[in-house]
Amino acid sequence: MLGLVTTSLLCLCGGGLLAASHEGLTRLLFGAGGFAGYVFFFARALGIIGLSSPVALVFAWSLAFTPCSASAQGAAPGVQLHGLVDVYATWNPNQPFDRNNFESGAGTTAQKANQLGLNLAAVDVSLDANPVGFHVVAVAGTGTDVVHGGELHPDNVRNIYQASASYKLNVGRGVTFELGIQPSHIGNEVFFSKDNWNYTRGWMGEFSPYYQTGLKIATSLDEHWSGQLWLMNGWQNIEDNNSGKAFGTQVAYAKDALGFSVNTFFGPELPEDEAHWRSFLDFVGTLKISSNVQLAGSLDLGEQRRPGLPPARWQGASLWLRTLLSKSSSSSSHSSALSLRAEYFHDPDAAVSPVLQTLVGETLTLEVRPHPQLILKLEGRYDHSTAAAFGGPDGLLTKRHELLFILGAVATF
């Protein structure tokens, strides 16, 4: 279904763009062709989910008349199409036996050792809620294989990162309801490496959700404060592993150089167990020290209750420092930067990591943007664990430390 929906939207957008660049009969033919392709493929997609063909055609036709262009009065923009290709090369002196740089559950960037790899390819199609919108992100690569590794049926969802519909209610400053698979509200680092200061992600990010499935209600309280309420299937899963539901909240503040958010998660996460809940608190803060220097920090506290055992608890803390080295003269985007991350992750009960351990790590990243649509990141990373948590030539999980050298390249459109 995802492929049909994406194809339908590509037809609509492509036909509209071609029509806009031509005149007369050619414009009419391109516009009509794109619209016909949209209706056909979207009706086919709706047929897959159980609607009869006539109903699907009528529904697809009606959606085609959703406003899709910005107006002089500031209306929401139309359908947006974006994408990226994220590739990397790594060198791991440990020479891991299975060619994996990271332990199970981690490695959503630069997963494979001593080789070139496709970290992620993504196509992003969206329409801002005005009042109805949607957001679909199709993905492929080692990153999505890892992030979906905990799903009950990962092969069924490995190419989906986001698939959600939204509605904006014009009350107060606006209340947005979004339902479906969505990016997580937790953490400072997100799933796409281009949006993070470093290329690889820290342990706090790897062992907390990158996406969630459920209902989000979001609003702005005033110019600086905003909030979110979540009802979810659970901790980074599309198909729930029990009949219980999880809840989440976010309170965020941003003004001038200071910003922070307090994020929570509560819910039953053990398979076929609704009685033993997971509780999680995440704090993220950012501070712009000067026009060239930024500081960020994050703190995590988690607890997983277990049948017949004491609760399993974990904690994490990270600090980021980013310095702009130069700025582009042609745009507001910088052309180079240096970022340092220091992190501590303590999981003595193996609550969310695969082994009982404490991890410490340092990461230094040089970012260069020779073009607004090309991001290069050269990174050195060192991690140490109190347990044998890294692979070596003699087998899985035989090393307590790991040194990585990574070159990542992201091209966007």
Side-chain angles (χ1 to χ4, degrees), residues 232-247:
M232 301 165 283
N233 280 348
W235 183 271
Q236 192 164 281
N237 53 26
I238 296 173
E239 185 178 356
D240 208 344
N241 62 356
N242 56 47
S243 60
K245 290 293 173 278
F247 306 89

Side-chain angles (χ1 to χ4, degrees), residues 191-267:
F191 183 59
F192 296 105
S193 68
K194 70 180 182 66
D195 299 321
N196 297 324
W197 291 355
N198 304 102
Y199 182 74
T200 61
R201 288 176 275 269
W203 299 107
M204 293 168 64
E206 296 287 59
F207 293 130
S208 62
Y210 287 119
Y211 66 88
Q212 298 163 163
T213 304
L215 172 65
K216 175 180 69 176
I217 305 173
T219 188
S220 296
L221 307 178
D222 58 26
E223 293 181 355
H224 308 298
W225 290 92
S226 62
Q228 297 180 10
L229 293 175
W230 286 79
L231 174 64
M232 301 165 283
N233 280 348
W235 183 271
Q236 192 164 281
N237 53 26
I238 296 173
E239 185 178 356
D240 208 344
N241 62 356
N242 56 47
S243 60
K245 290 293 173 278
F247 306 89
T249 65
Q250 181 184 89
V251 176
Y253 174 85
K255 182 180 180 181
D256 300 328
L258 176 66
F260 67 84
S261 66
V262 180
N263 313 294
T264 65
F265 176 99
F266 305 97

Side-chain angles (χ1 to χ4, degrees), residues 101-118:
N101 287 321
F102 298 94
E103 55 194 286
S104 175
T108 53
T109 42
Q111 170 65 4
K112 295 298 181 180
N114 303 327
Q115 64 184 47
L116 296 170
L118 171 64

Side-chain angles (χ1 to χ4, degrees), residues 13 71 77 141 154 157 189 259 293 317 345 383:
C13 295
S71 71
V157 297
E189 293 178 316
V293 181
F345 189 82
D383 293 287

